[in-house]
Amino acid sequence: MGKKFAYIRVSSREQNENRQLDSLQGLKVDEIIVEKASGKNFVGREKYQAMKAQLRTDDLVIVKSIDRFGRNYTQICKEWESLINMGVDIQVLDMPILNTRDNQNGLTGRLITDIVLKLLGYVAERERDNIKIRQAEGIASAKSRGVKFGRPISDIPKEFLRGYELYTQGLITVKDVMGMCDIARSTFYKYAESIKS
């Protein structure tokens, strides 16, 4: 029997990994890897890649759910296959049929696991797409109700507001406003965008 690794992933620093840690109670795990990174791909996940470099034949990788493994359908399937080809088993706690160590019933067990994996990978990616759509709809809805995003105008220096007014009237150039306020070109456009929105 190899080592047991638990991989825990949350998408952002604000999210809490306790729910995933709680799911490990009663399991004997040799190493717990906690990572705060997007599930869109495996490349930018340093801790996952470091764990993968340690994996050997007969090791086991445990995840709470398939979406903690990733949210990109193609990459989930590719990464899953990569681990299986290394001789590593995978256990998805909330989907026992995806426990490759227990489901070694030959070709039929492998076929069922592959079908379920692909279905769940598809669902995980669709959920990621739906999150983006809901986020965009929420922003559009808020903007239509007058909610302002970005830097508040009150944080913009008064000199810039005066200079920007002269600029919009065609009396001075962007370079003039930059010189008046001692700001970079990118800051000029950032402030200008805040005023327009």
Side-chain angles (χ1 to χ4, degrees):
M1 274 299 192
K3 285 180 72 175
K4 293 182 180 178
F5 295 83
Y7 179 70
I8 291 171
R9 183 190 65 78
V10 291
S11 298
S12 68
R13 301 231 176 265
E14 296 78 38
Q15 290 181 328
N16 191 307
E17 62 273 1
N18 288 339
R19 182 180 65 88
Q20 293 176 69
L21 287 167
D22 291 346
S23 71
L24 300 174
Q25 288 188 355
L27 295 175
K28 185 180 178 295
V29 176
D30 298 302
E31 193 170 334
I32 298 174
I33 292 89
V34 178
E35 185 152 54
K36 299 197 177 198
S38 169
K40 70 180 178 179
N41 62 49
F42 289 87
V43 178
R45 293 197 238 160
E46 293 176 13
K47 291 186 179 182
Y48 176 83
Q49 294 302 333
M51 175 191 74
K52 188 175 178 182
Q54 293 181 62
L55 294 172
R56 302 291 175 258
T57 300
D58 291 329
D59 284 349
L60 175 68
V61 174
I62 302 166
V63 292
K64 165 95 172 90
S65 57
I66 198 70
D67 66 342
R68 298 302 87 206
F69 194 58
R71 284 197 182 270
N72 178 305
Y73 168 74
T74 305
Q75 289 190 5
I76 290 171
C77 295
K78 184 178 171 189
E79 195 62 26
W80 185 280
E81 196 64 35
S82 170
L83 294 179
I84 297 300
N85 288 339
M86 290 169 62
V88 173
D89 284 308
I90 306 162
Q91 180 178 2
V92 180
L93 295 176
D94 65 1
M95 188 61 57
I97 198 166
L98 292 180
N99 183 343
T100 62
R101 187 165 280 175
D102 290 347
N103 295 337
Q104 294 180 347
N105 301 349
L107 191 56
T108 304
R110 177 78 188 263
L111 175 66
I112 291 168
T113 299
D114 286 349
I115 290 168
V116 172
L117 170 68
K118 288 185 175 166
L119 176 63
L120 291 174
Y122 170 80
V123 169
E125 183 166 344
R126 289 296 307 142
E127 177 58 19
R128 183 170 167 262
D129 293 342
N130 288 338
I131 288 168
K132 286 182 182 175
I133 291 166
R134 287 192 300 265
Q135 185 179 35
E137 287 171 347
I139 290 168
S141 174
K143 282 185 175 179
S144 73
R145 291 189 318 277
V147 173
K148 300 279 186 187
F149 291 88
R151 178 186 281 262
I153 291 178
S154 62
D155 288 352
I156 297 174
K158 287 188 172 96
E159 311 84 59
F160 180 84
L161 295 172
R162 282 193 296 276
Y164 186 72
E165 189 176 335
L166 294 172
Y167 164 76
T168 57
Q169 294 170 5
L171 301 172
I172 61 175
T173 65
V174 170
K175 203 167 191 172
D176 294 329
V177 178
M178 290 166 49
M180 284 172 54
C181 303
D182 193 29
I183 58 171
R185 184 175 293 273
S186 60
T187 305
F188 171 89
Y189 288 110
K190 186 166 60 170
Y191 285 168
E193 194 58 41
S194 292
I195 292 169
K196 284 188 237 172
S197 61

